[in-house]
């Protein structure tokens, strides 16, 4: 997902090099492709943080179990 998002960002960057005024107009009307990319990036980051939290909790629980086993 992150790789696809990066490719989409590169396409948008190339598009915006021609001028950003059209994108400002799209932002005002709620149809910004760049905004969609930001929302997707936020979702990917949130998923990654949740996975990290899950992994951290499991690692901590495993470490506690090992300490109790001694």
């Amino acid at each position: 997902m992150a790789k696809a998002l990066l490719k989409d960002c590169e396409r948008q960057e190339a598009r915006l090099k021609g001028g950003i005024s059209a994108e400002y107009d799209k932002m005002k009307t709620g149809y910004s492709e760049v905004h969609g990319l930001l929302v997707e990036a936020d979702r990917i980051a949130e998923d990654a943080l949740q996975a990290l939290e899950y992994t951290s909790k499991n690692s901590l629980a495993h470490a506690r179990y090992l300490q109790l086993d001694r």
Side-chain angles (χ1 to χ4, degrees):
M1 288 184 291
K3 285 182 182 182
L5 178 65
L6 289 173
K7 285 183 180 184
D8 289 343
C9 287
E10 289 172 355
R11 280 192 286 273
Q12 291 302 316
E13 180 183 23
R15 180 179 68 85
L16 293 173
K17 284 184 180 178
I20 194 146
S21 61
E23 185 62 26
Y24 285 139
D25 292 338
K26 289 180 181 184
M27 287 177 182
K28 290 176 187 174
T29 61
Y31 294 103
S32 169
E33 293 177 38
V34 173
H35 180 264
L37 294 174
L38 292 172
V39 170
E40 180 65 11
D42 184 59
R43 190 187 67 72
I44 290 171
E46 185 62 36
D47 289 350
L49 288 172
Q50 288 178 3
L52 178 63
E53 183 179 343
Y54 176 81
T55 301
S56 295
K57 284 181 181 179
N58 282 344
S59 294
L60 182 59
H62 182 70
R64 287 182 180 158
Y65 174 78
L66 291 176
Q67 288 177 346
L68 293 174
D69 194 35
R70 290 180 186 180

